[in-house]
C-alpha cells in the first residue's frame, strides 16, 4: 500500500504574494462591482415596505410602554406605603420606651428584646408576660413593631420585584424602539439618496395613487349618520385630518393608528386600551355587513393597523410615517375585522 502524501502547504511568502495580488484585483474598478442606483419606483417600494415593517414593532412598543407606566405607578404606590410603614415603626419604637428602644437598636439582650431573635416571637411574648418579664403595654408595642417589620420586609421584596420588572420592560421597549428607528432610518437614507427632482416625482406619484384610491386628507366636517358618542369620536378624528403620522404618538399634533382611534373615543368619554391588539380584544366584534360609523376597523390582522369607520364605505386612519391622517375607502386595504367600543 503506497504512502499517502499531503500536498505541501504554500510558503508564507507565496501566501503574501497571493494576498497582494487579490487585493490589487479587488481595487480595480469593474463594471460588475458598481451596483446600479435604484430607480425612484424601486426606492418608493422599499420605503413603503420599511414603513409597513415598522408597524408591528411600533404596536409592540406601545404595549410595552403602557406596561411600564402601570409598573411605575405600582412602584410609586409601594414606595409611599414603605414610607408610611417606616414612620409607623419609628413611632412604635418611641412607644416601647427609651431603654428597650436603645437596647433594640444596639442589639442588647434584654429579655423583652430577645423576641426578635426567637423563631416564634408571639409565643415568646406570651411566656414573657406570664413570667412578668415585660409589661402588657410593652409586649403589645413589641408585637405590633414585629408585625410592622414583617410587613415592611414584604413590601420591600415586592418593590424590588417591580423595579426589576420595570428594568426588563425598559430593555424590551428600547429594543423595539431601536427596531422601529432602524427601519425609519433606512427609509430616510433611501429617500435622501434621491435628487430633489426624483423626490418631487415620487411625491407626485404617491398623490396620484392616493387620489385614484379615493384617499383624502383635506380638512372636512363630518355630516354623516352617526349620533351620540360615535358622532363625537368621528368629529374628533375629522379635526385631526392632515396631521402627520408619528409612531408611538397619541396627539395632539400627530398620531399613530391606534393613537388616533384611542384619542377619538376618549374625546367621546370612552377609554380604550393603547394598542391595536388590545383594542381588538376589548371591543365587541361586528360583521362587515353590520358596520356603523364609529366602529373600529382592523386591516390585515388583529394587531397591525386600525382606523375608524365613518360611513359610506369610508374609514379615517393615521396611515404610516410620511403620510397624514386621511380618509380612505374601507377596502383600500385587506379588511380583517371590526369592533364596536
Amino acid at each position: 500500500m503506497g504512502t499517502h502524501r499531503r500536498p505541501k502547504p504554500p510558503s508564507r511568502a507565496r501566501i503574501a504574494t497571493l494576498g497582494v495580488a487579490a487585493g490589487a484585483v479587488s481595487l480595480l474598478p469593474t463594471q460588475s462591482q458598481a451596483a446600479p442606483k435604484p430607480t425612484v419606483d424601486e426606492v418608493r417600494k422599499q420605503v413603503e415596505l420599511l414603513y409597513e415593517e415598522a408597524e408591528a414593532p411600533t404596536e409592540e412598543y406601545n404595549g410595552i410602554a403602557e406596561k411600564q407606566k402601570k409598573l411605575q405607578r405600582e412602584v410609586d404606590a409601594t414606595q409611599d406605603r414603605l414610607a408610611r410603614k417606616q414612620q409607623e415603626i419609628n413611632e412604635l419604637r418611641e412607644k416601647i420606651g427609651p431603654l428597650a428602644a436603645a437596647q433594640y437598636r444596639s442589639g442588647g439582650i434584654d429579655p423583652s428584646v430577645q423576641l426578635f431573635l426567637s423563631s416564634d416571637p408571639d409565643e415568646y411574648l406570651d411566656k414573657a408576660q406570664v413570667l412578668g418579664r415585660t409589661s402588657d403595654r410593652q409586649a403589645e408595642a413589641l408585637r405590633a413593631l414585629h408585625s410592622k417589620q414583617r410587613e415592611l420586609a414584604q413590601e420591600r421584596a415586592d418593590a424590588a420585584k417591580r423595579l426589576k420588572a420595570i428594568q426588563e420592560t425598559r430593555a424590551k421597549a428600547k429594543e423595539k424602539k431601536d427596531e422601529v428607528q432602524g427601519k425609519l432610518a433606512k427609509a430616510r437614507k433611501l429617500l435622501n439618496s434621491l435628487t430633489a427632482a426624483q423626490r418631487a416625482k415620487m411625491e407626485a406619484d404617491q398623490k396620484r395613487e392616493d387620489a385614484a384610491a379615493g384617499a383624502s386628507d383635506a380638512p372636512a366636517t363630518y355630516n354623516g349618520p352617526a349620533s351620540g358618542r360615535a358622532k363625537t369620536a368621528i368629529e374628533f378624528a375629522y379635526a385631526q385630518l392632515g396631521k402627520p403620522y408619528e409612531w408611538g404618538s397619541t396627539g395632539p399634533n400627530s398620531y399613530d393608528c391606534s393613537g388616533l382611534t384611542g384619542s377619538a373615543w376618549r374625546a367621546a368619554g370612552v377609554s380604550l386600551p393603547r394598542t391595536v391588539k388590545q383594542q381588538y380584544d376589548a371591543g365587541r366584534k361586528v360583521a362587515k355587513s353590520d358596520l356603523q360609523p364609529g366602529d373600529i376597523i382592523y386591516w390585515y390582522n388583529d394587531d397591525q393597523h386600525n382606523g375608524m369607520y365613518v360611513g359610506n364605505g369610508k374609514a379615517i386612519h393615521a396611515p404610516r410615517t410620511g403620510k397624514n391622517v386621511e380618509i380612505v375607502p374601507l377596502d383600500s386595504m385587506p379588511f380583517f375585522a371590526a369592533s364596536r367600543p
Side-chain angles (χ1 to χ4, degrees):
M1 196 164 80
T3 306
H4 185 75
R5 294 184 65 185
R6 289 182 181 177
K8 188 179 177 184
S11 68
R12 285 185 181 176
R14 172 75 176 143
I15 289 169
T17 308
L18 286 168
V20 169
V25 169
S26 69
L27 292 172
L28 292 173
T30 62
Q31 196 60 40
S32 62
Q33 283 179 313
K37 284 193 81 172
T39 65
V40 173
D41 201 43
E42 284 168 342
V43 167
R44 189 152 70 90
K45 282 175 184 166
Q46 286 175 48
V47 167
E48 288 277 353
L49 183 62
L50 284 163
Y51 286 152
E52 194 176 314
E53 286 173 354
E55 274 193 312
T58 293
E59 287 301 309
E60 286 179 63
Y61 172 84
N62 289 339
I64 294 165
E66 283 298 292
K67 185 182 175 187
Q68 189 177 319
K69 280 183 201 168
K70 181 175 176 281
L71 283 166
Q72 189 63 59
R73 284 195 297 270
E74 288 173 3
V75 166
D76 292 344
T78 301
Q79 285 173 336
D80 286 344
R81 285 196 300 274
L82 283 172
R84 280 199 303 275
K85 281 194 170 64
Q86 188 63 62
Q87 183 60 34
E88 286 167 7
I89 284 170
N90 294 343
E91 287 167 7
L92 280 167
R93 280 178 180 166
E94 286 171 20
K95 276 186 189 174
I96 290 168
L99 178 63
Q103 285 174 324
Y104 171 71
R105 281 196 297 271
S106 62
I109 54 166
D110 182 273
S112 64
V113 182
Q114 282 181 3
L115 70 94
F116 293 107
L117 305 175
S118 166
S119 59
D120 190 346
D122 293 330
E123 185 187 349
Y124 177 88
L125 272 171
D126 292 339
K127 286 178 184 173
Q129 276 180 280
V130 170
L131 294 169
R133 286 178 180 168
T134 184
S135 70
D136 289 350
R137 191 173 62 81
Q138 196 179 49
E140 189 185 332
L142 283 165
R143 195 177 277 116
L145 177 59
H146 182 259
S147 172
K148 291 287 176 196
Q149 284 197 308
R150 273 187 302 204
E151 287 174 20
L152 185 66
Q154 185 58 51
E155 289 279 5
R156 281 192 174 134
D158 289 346
K161 278 182 193 170
R162 288 195 175 106
L163 283 167
K164 189 181 175 191
I166 278 186
Q167 285 165 351
E168 286 170 2
T169 54
R170 275 189 187 136
K172 280 183 192 168
K174 185 182 183 305
E175 189 183 305
K176 288 297 160 192
K177 189 175 181 179
D178 289 348
E179 187 180 342
V180 174
Q181 288 184 329
K183 289 184 185 298
L184 298 184
K186 272 187 189 174
R188 277 194 300 272
K189 193 175 175 184
L190 277 167
L191 290 170
N192 289 339
S193 72
L194 298 175
T195 64
Q198 286 175 318
R199 270 202 295 272
K201 180 185 183 303
M202 194 170 108
E203 284 167 18
D205 289 346
Q206 183 66 63
K207 278 180 184 169
R208 256 198 313 276
E209 278 185 24
D210 287 348
S216 161
D217 65 359
T221 305
Y222 178 71
N223 55 8
S227 60
R229 287 180 167 179
K231 185 179 183 186
T232 305
I234 295 172
E235 284 174 343
F236 177 93
Y238 264 67
Q240 315 315 309
L241 280 165
K243 289 186 181 179
Y245 175 99
E246 185 181 357
W247 79 275
S249 181
T250 56
N253 301 317
S254 57
Y255 297 87
D256 63 19
C257 63
S258 54
L260 177 66
T261 52
S263 296
W265 272 102
R266 195 176 306 113
V270 179
S271 180
L272 295 183
R274 175 66 182 92
T275 70
V276 171
K277 179 77 171 101
Q278 289 167 338
Q279 290 178 7
Y280 173 82
D281 290 341
R284 180 163 51 94
K285 306 303 174 295
V286 290
K288 192 177 181 183
S289 56
D290 294 330
L291 277 175
Q292 288 179 14
D295 290 346
I296 297 179
I297 307 297
Y298 304 86
W299 289 286
Y300 303 105
N301 51 45
D302 63 354
D303 68 356
Q304 185 173 338
H305 190 67
N306 69 359
M308 192 189 305
Y309 188 61
V310 296
N312 300 319
K314 298 280 182 78
I316 190 167
H317 73 142
R320 58 153 177 80
T321 302
K323 294 186 79 175
N324 302 327
V325 175
E326 64 181 8
I327 293 170
V328 292
L330 181 62
D331 294 322
S332 59
M333 291 167 279
F335 176 91
F336 174 76
S339 70
R340 189 163 296 157

